[in-house]
Amino acid sequence: ENFMSINLKINLLKKQLAEAEEKRYNPTRIANEIALDLIDVYLKAGLLDDAGLLFEKYRHCFDLINHLKAIEIAAELSDRKGEWQESLEYYLKSLEINKHMGNTVGIAHVLNNIGTIYLKRNEGKKALEYFLESQAQKEALGDKAGLASTLNNIGIIYFNRDQWDKALEYYLKSKDLYEETGDTVGTAITLNNMGEIYAKKGDWTQALREYDKSREIFENSGDLTKVAILFYNMAHIYFEKGERDKAFD
């Protein structure tokens, strides 16, 4: 979704919420029919503070035992705030509900999220278990977009173990799927990750090539923060090569 469509949704849901509160509708109904959707859109827009405040306002109305969407939003909020144990507990609840429902798509998605939490907690072995299970589920479903993300995550595990060839193998598979599904941001992320591996291996030329391709995509998407990071990575390589003029260019 682009910025304009997300902004339009936010404004529409805020208007609906204000009207529902003014008319004193049942708070539980407001929470589940409007507030949850608005929190979800806030998260998509990166408005973590707004999402957190609204969630806390209606927390007492959410069923965080059985309501799948409320549980998954709570998990994502906790994750974004760095509260990984709480996030993990919510994701495990979500996994249990999805299994009970027989929702294979949901199971595959949540397995990847659980793996990501373990990765952030530096529990690589546990993370890999969940990523591999998610990979198998997504392959069975033919979920190429979801599989691309999981393969990239597996690549990160092997990168952290200094198993660079194994990491590169997964990054390449991930990149191919991102390109096939038209996910340019995902492609740029894996290109950057591949650049890091080539830099570790001392293949400066290939590292620069991957970084530059990644930079171009992020530049076109307007993500100037990622562009700045990539320029820094490229400058570091030029510095290592002794080409200081290019490093400071």
Side-chain angles (χ1 to χ4, degrees):
E1 290 182 280
N2 60 38
F3 173 78
M4 285 186 67
S5 67
I6 288 177
N7 201 42
L8 192 64
K9 279 186 181 179
I10 288 173
N11 289 335
L12 181 61
L13 286 165
K14 282 174 71 175
K15 184 180 178 182
Q16 289 176 355
L17 182 64
E19 288 175 355
E21 289 176 339
E22 187 179 340
K23 292 176 181 177
R24 298 183 181 277
Y25 287 166
N26 182 289
T28 301
R29 182 184 168 192
I30 295 174
N32 291 299
E33 293 183 10
I34 306 173
L36 268 183
D37 286 343
L38 181 52
I39 294 165
D40 190 31
V41 181
Y42 277 147
L43 287 170
K44 284 187 173 80
L47 299 171
L48 181 59
D49 289 343
D50 290 321
L53 286 170
L54 188 55
F55 184 86
E56 289 305 321
K57 181 178 180 179
Y58 283 99
R59 177 187 279 272
H60 66 288
C61 297
F62 297 134
D63 178 358
L64 296 175
I65 303 297
N66 301 298
H67 194 297
L68 187 59
K69 184 170 183 176
I71 291 166
E72 291 186 341
I73 283 177
E76 187 176 349
L77 266 170
S78 299
D79 179 13
R80 297 273 196 102
K81 291 190 286 185
E83 297 167 356
W84 295 323
Q85 182 57 38
E86 187 173 308
S87 178
L88 181 60
E89 289 168 7
Y90 283 126
Y91 278 134
L92 287 169
K93 277 185 192 175
S94 170
L95 180 61
E96 185 182 341
I97 293 170
N98 276 296
K99 283 182 175 179
H100 182 72
M101 293 168 58
N103 181 9
T104 52
V105 174
I107 291 167
H109 178 69
V110 177
L111 286 168
N112 185 71
N113 289 342
I114 293 171
T116 302
I117 297 298
Y118 279 117
L119 180 60
K120 290 175 179 178
R121 286 168 40 147
N122 295 318
E123 297 181 49
K125 185 178 178 183
K126 197 76 176 170
L128 185 58
E129 289 175 15
Y130 280 95
F131 287 145
L132 290 173
E133 199 176 340
S134 178
Q135 178 190 355
Q137 293 267 0
K138 288 174 179 177
E139 285 175 343
L141 290 164
D143 178 9
K144 292 181 179 180
L147 183 57
S149 172
T150 300
L151 292 172
N152 181 66
N153 288 336
I154 295 172
I156 293 170
I157 297 284
Y158 286 116
F159 179 83
N160 290 343
R161 294 179 178 180
D162 293 336
Q163 294 178 243
W164 297 326
D165 289 336
K166 192 80 172 171
L168 187 59
E169 177 189 331
Y170 278 95
Y171 287 151
L172 280 166
K173 288 178 183 176
S174 174
K175 180 185 73 72
D176 288 346
L177 285 171
Y178 276 131
E179 288 178 338
E180 188 179 338
T181 56
D183 187 337
T184 54
V185 172
T187 301
I189 289 169
T190 50
L191 286 167
N192 175 68
N193 291 346
M194 288 162 62
E196 287 182 354
I197 289 177
Y198 287 119
K200 288 280 189 183
K201 294 172 69 143
D203 187 344
W204 306 124
T205 301
Q206 191 63 33
L208 285 169
R209 189 174 293 129
E210 305 300 345
Y211 281 147
D212 197 47
K213 285 189 283 188
S214 179
R215 175 203 57 77
E216 186 177 350
I217 293 171
F218 280 126
E219 205 166 69
N220 289 337
S221 71
D223 192 334
L224 300 182
T225 301
K226 293 286 197 316
V227 171
I229 291 169
L230 283 154
F231 272 130
Y232 174 83
N233 291 343
M234 294 165 73
H236 180 72
I237 288 176
Y238 284 124
F239 190 82
E240 290 291 323
K241 289 174 70 178
E243 299 179 33
R244 298 195 174 194
D245 288 346
K246 287 186 178 179
F248 294 108
D249 188 1

